[in-house]
Amino acid sequence: MSIESTTGELGVTRGDLLPKGTDDPSRAQIPIDSKLRFIETSTGTPLVHVAVSGLTPPSGFTAKTEYWSRLTPFKSRAITLVSFGFTNRPGAPDYPKEFRDWLVGGSVLSTGQEASGQQWTQGVYQPTSPASALYWAVDPDGPLGRRIGLLVELGSAGELRNAIWYKMDRPQNGLIFQSTPSKLNFTQVFVGDTPSIDPHHIDPQSAWYYYHGLMRPA
């Protein structure tokens, strides 16, 4: 059993970019009032934009919700996550426009932003979508050698339908990131030339726990 590449071991930039003075981040699955971008590593092509609302979302949006804007199909063996804080504070006049502009151009899905430790299930998630891809990255919160997984459920055209997170241990507070990295490289998991959706091909010794939120059209 093997993973395609170990280059991701060098692909983490640590640091929590949650803007100062925003809502309480202590229960965030991904920090509230923040935005993320997934890009195709080799070309820099944006794949997905994520905007996470806090307690004071823009009009038309729900508090403490992740909005995933699918820009292009997931057809890459290597992706990079980049995180940002919003330039404008929640409640500021330009905040709603910045929030909406981050999602423009894609098909938007939403999912709840909070999770508890009890919602992390030990085992292997079985996808229900036509296609799926599993990626691994260094766990920014763990000691050397700890990893996380991101399983994306895809439609027949490679469009994102859902995202499932994996951790090697159940996070007691439900967080995927205790400290959100400013940059994190993910590499698709393969066994030989065959894509794998089993996190034991990332690390066969780990019990593995997954969090399965439910994404819906926003």
Side-chain angles (χ1 to χ4, degrees):
M1 294 184 296
S2 65
I3 53 179
E4 183 187 68
S5 171
T6 58
T7 56
E9 293 289 4
L10 303 177
V12 56
T13 302
R14 299 177 187 275
D16 190 345
L17 298 187
L18 187 69
K20 302 298 182 184
T22 52
D23 295 323
D24 178 15
S26 61
R27 292 180 54 79
Q29 175 70 1
I30 297 173
I32 54 180
D33 297 324
S34 63
K35 53 187 181 182
L36 312 177
R37 173 185 285 142
F38 288 91
I39 63 174
E40 205 286 325
T41 302
S42 63
T43 64
T45 303
L47 302 172
V48 172
H49 279 182
V50 184
V52 188
S53 61
L55 293 175
T56 53
S59 175
F61 293 89
T62 303
K64 293 192 175 182
T65 300
E66 299 172 14
Y67 293 91
W68 293 58
S69 178
R70 309 172 297 185
L71 302 174
T72 50
F74 261 84
K75 294 184 178 180
S76 173
R77 292 192 174 194
I79 60 177
T80 299
L81 167 67
V82 185
S83 65
F84 310 86
F86 280 99
T87 302
N88 296 280
R89 292 275 302 276
D94 292 335
Y95 174 72
K97 182 179 186 303
E98 183 182 1
F99 195 99
R100 292 187 177 92
D101 286 351
W102 190 247
L103 302 174
V104 165
S107 178
V108 180
L109 303 173
S110 66
T111 186
Q113 175 261 352
E114 290 186 322
S116 67
Q118 290 70 32
Q119 289 175 284
W120 287 78
T121 304
Q122 182 177 351
V124 179
Y125 174 77
Q126 298 301 318
T128 58
S129 296
S132 297
L134 176 64
Y135 297 86
W136 74 273
V138 175
D139 189 338
D141 306 315
L144 187 65
R146 304 297 285 180
R147 297 173 178 178
I148 61 173
L150 173 61
L151 176 69
V152 289
E153 291 195 271
L154 306 171
S156 56
E159 73 276 15
L160 178 67
R161 291 192 175 181
N162 208 352
I164 292 86
W165 292 102
Y166 277 102
K167 296 276 278 187
M168 295 175 73
D169 298 295
R170 176 183 282 125
Q172 295 305 308
N173 57 5
L175 307 182
I176 180 62
F177 297 124
Q178 302 296 320
S179 179
T180 306
S182 55
K183 185 177 182 180
L184 188 62
N185 289 337
F186 288 82
T187 303
Q188 190 173 0
V189 180
F190 280 77
V191 178
D193 295 327
T194 303
S196 172
I197 57 171
D198 187 344
H200 293 99
H201 292 145
I202 302 174
D203 187 310
Q205 304 304 319
S206 175
W208 287 107
Y209 295 83
Y210 67 86
Y211 172 71
H212 174 215
L214 181 60
M215 289 187 173
R216 301 179 176 88

